[in-house]
Amino acid sequence: MSNHPRRRKKKRSKRQVGLPPGSLVRRVEGTGIEGKIQLISYSQTEIEEESIESKESLQAVIQQKNDLSVWLNIIGLDNIKLIEEVGKTFTIHPLLLEDAINTDQRPKYDEYEDHLGFTLKMLNLEKESNSIQEEQITFVLGNGFLVSFQEREGDVFDPVRQRLENAGGRIRAQGPDYLMYALIDVVVDHYFLILEDIGDRIDQLEDLVFEEPTEAHLKQIQEFKYDILLLRRSIFPLRDAVSRIQHDATGLISETTRRYLNDVYDHIIQLIEILESLREINSGLKDIYMSSVSYQMNKVVQLLTIISTIFIPLTFIAGVYGMNFTYMPELEWRNGYFIILGVMAALVLWMIFFFRRKKWL
């Protein structure tokens, strides 16, 4: 089993006191990606994909897509000017933009007059290092458009993109609200893959802890604890956010999409149950580790005690005949040395037989 790498300490957010609400100032360390714009515009009969190179051409391109559903994906949150331009183009509330660029948010749902925001954590499992990579995704849903903000390149949305390319698929026949559901759903599905992987590795570790516990196993148990806590912070608030979006008052979520969101809610409940089970198993694994170590220590102490007990009478006999008295009749026996050795050997054999009969050895 691969060991977890040493976990780097996460840098805390640096809040600037006194800024007005909606100020587009990043409180977290940037990724160095200035911002890329990917645009997919589609209808039931056509689909177009393009990259927009500059914020100046953004508004002109969007104005040409009036009859199509638009998915605008922003990759990289360091370019504040670009984020501001996106906000102006789609009339996104400044508070929602502020939450999008500061990736220390908990999963949540926000309603505004003509659009809504949905924030969640996208998790990816690095197979080589068995580490979980966390990334915040923010969706802004409006009339005829969906804007998504992500920190860096690489995501789990490829299955949705492939479904968009299929002209006969349901996703092309629905609006951007259904597209947002599909993206949320694929993020939630990846939670299942991560929990399954953690569960398998915990089962393997449990067998190793029973056989021969080591300090490395204790470290792995602690790493699993960190992973489970990360998943709890990502999944538990998501339950409330999905519950709220099901009762959306903006009218942007259709009845069809609400039914599918109810399925996502059921999946989140399943995730929570699995997560709680894994948390209990991992906590019990630490108890098993401590019990196994204690048992092994007791076996060592028992063996050393038996060895000491065997040598106590031998030491006594050797001590008696090691005294330098003149009148000790056994010292003058011709075969006294061999007789004493025989007595010692017989005593050792009798004690071993006695310990085995008592099942102490």
Side-chain angles (χ1 to χ4, degrees):
M1 182 194 316
S2 302
N3 292 334
H4 286 263
R6 185 177 295 275
R7 195 177 291 268
R8 294 176 293 180
K9 291 185 178 180
K10 189 174 181 179
K11 293 188 177 181
R12 297 183 180 274
S13 302
K14 298 181 179 179
R15 297 186 178 272
Q16 299 185 29
V17 180
L19 290 176
S23 299
L24 297 187
V25 177
R26 296 207 72 186
R27 299 189 301 266
V28 296
E29 184 180 2
T31 59
I33 302 175
E34 285 299 318
K36 298 180 180 179
I37 303 176
Q38 295 177 343
L39 175 64
I40 298 179
S41 51
Y42 64 94
S43 67
Q44 194 168 3
T45 58
E46 61 179 305
I47 183 171
E48 299 177 8
E49 299 183 35
E50 55 190 301
S51 297
I52 300 177
E53 300 297 334
S54 64
K55 64 180 186 295
E56 288 77 12
S57 61
L58 173 62
Q59 191 165 7
V61 172
I62 296 300
Q63 288 176 349
Q64 300 173 6
K65 311 295 182 180
N66 291 332
D67 298 330
L68 302 176
S69 297
V70 171
W71 175 22
L72 192 74
N73 188 31
I74 312 298
I75 302 174
L77 307 176
D78 292 343
N79 191 338
I80 301 301
K81 295 295 184 182
L82 175 63
I83 304 299
E84 288 178 341
E85 186 65 26
V86 172
K88 292 177 182 178
T89 302
F90 293 97
T91 321
I92 301 175
H93 198 282
L95 288 176
L96 187 50
L97 290 177
E98 181 184 13
D99 289 343
I101 67 172
N102 291 297
T103 55
D104 54 354
Q105 309 294 323
R106 69 197 299 269
K108 62 178 183 175
Y109 164 74
D110 295 303
E111 286 184 3
Y112 299 92
E113 292 181 0
D114 57 352
H115 60 281
L116 59 84
F118 193 92
T119 300
L120 75 165
K121 300 296 183 180
M122 180 174 65
L123 304 180
N124 257 322
L125 181 66
E126 292 289 340
K127 287 293 185 180
E128 294 183 359
S129 61
N130 283 332
S131 61
I132 298 176
Q133 302 297 324
E134 180 185 18
E135 180 179 354
Q136 176 174 300
I137 302 293
T138 300
F139 296 113
V140 180
L141 176 65
N143 185 19
F145 71 87
L146 175 68
V147 180
S148 57
F149 299 88
Q150 60 185 81
E151 300 177 60
R152 50 186 175 268
E153 292 188 83
D155 52 43
V156 299
F157 299 149
D158 285 344
V160 178
R161 295 186 178 99
Q162 293 172 5
R163 288 161 58 189
L164 275 171
E165 294 175 358
N166 181 10
R170 182 185 295 113
I171 196 169
R172 289 270 293 274
Q174 304 294 329
D177 60 324
Y178 187 88
L179 174 61
M180 185 179 70
Y181 145 73
L183 296 173
I184 295 173
D185 184 59
V186 75
V187 170
V188 171
D189 285 346
H190 270 73
Y191 291 163
F192 280 103
L193 298 179
I194 294 174
L195 285 177
E196 182 180 350
D197 180 82
I198 292 177
D200 291 342
R201 287 188 285 128
I202 287 179
D203 289 341
Q204 295 174 13
L205 183 59
E206 186 175 17
D207 295 336
L208 295 175
V209 169
F210 270 117
E211 293 173 2
E212 188 177 355
T214 64
E215 290 185 7
H217 296 153
L218 182 60
K219 180 181 177 182
Q220 290 175 18
I221 293 172
Q222 196 67 15
E223 291 288 346
F224 285 136
K225 178 182 176 181
Y226 293 144
D227 289 342
I228 291 172
L229 286 175
L230 172 61
L231 285 161
R232 279 174 61 88
R233 289 195 301 268
S234 301
I235 295 174
F236 271 70
L238 186 58
R239 174 181 57 181
D240 297 332
V242 172
S243 177
R244 288 190 60 199
I245 198 174
Q246 287 179 282
H247 301 89
D248 158 65
T250 64
L252 294 171
I253 305 295
S254 67
E255 287 300 322
T256 301
T257 303
R258 289 178 197 270
R259 286 193 288 269
Y260 286 105
L261 285 171
N262 186 58
D263 183 63
V264 173
Y265 184 83
D266 291 340
H267 289 168
I268 294 173
I269 297 300
Q270 294 177 28
L271 286 169
I272 291 175
E273 293 174 353
I274 297 172
L275 189 60
E276 288 300 291
S277 298
L278 289 178
R279 188 169 70 93
E280 292 296 328
I281 293 172
N282 193 60
S283 298
L285 196 56
K286 187 173 183 179
D287 294 335
I288 293 173
Y289 171 84
M290 300 304 296
S291 298
S292 298
V293 171
S294 178
Y295 175 76
Q296 288 190 353
M297 182 62 68
N298 289 338
K299 293 292 289 184
V300 171
V301 171
Q302 182 183 18
L303 179 61
L304 294 177
T305 302
I306 290 174
I307 294 174
S308 300
T309 303
I310 290 175
F311 274 90
I312 286 175
L314 304 185
T315 304
F316 172 76
I317 294 173
V320 168
Y321 287 98
M323 295 187 293
N324 294 323
F325 290 114
T326 302
Y327 300 103
M328 291 185 68
E330 293 87 351
L331 296 179
E332 297 178 359
W333 292 354
R334 184 177 184 86
N335 296 317
Y337 173 73
F338 299 104
I339 293 173
I340 294 301
L341 287 180
V343 171
M344 289 182 174
L347 184 59
V348 169
L349 293 175
W350 179 83
M351 293 181 73
I352 291 176
F353 170 77
F354 178 78
F355 291 150
R356 284 189 176 276
R357 189 171 183 182
K358 291 290 186 179
K359 297 182 179 180
W360 296 346
L361 185 63

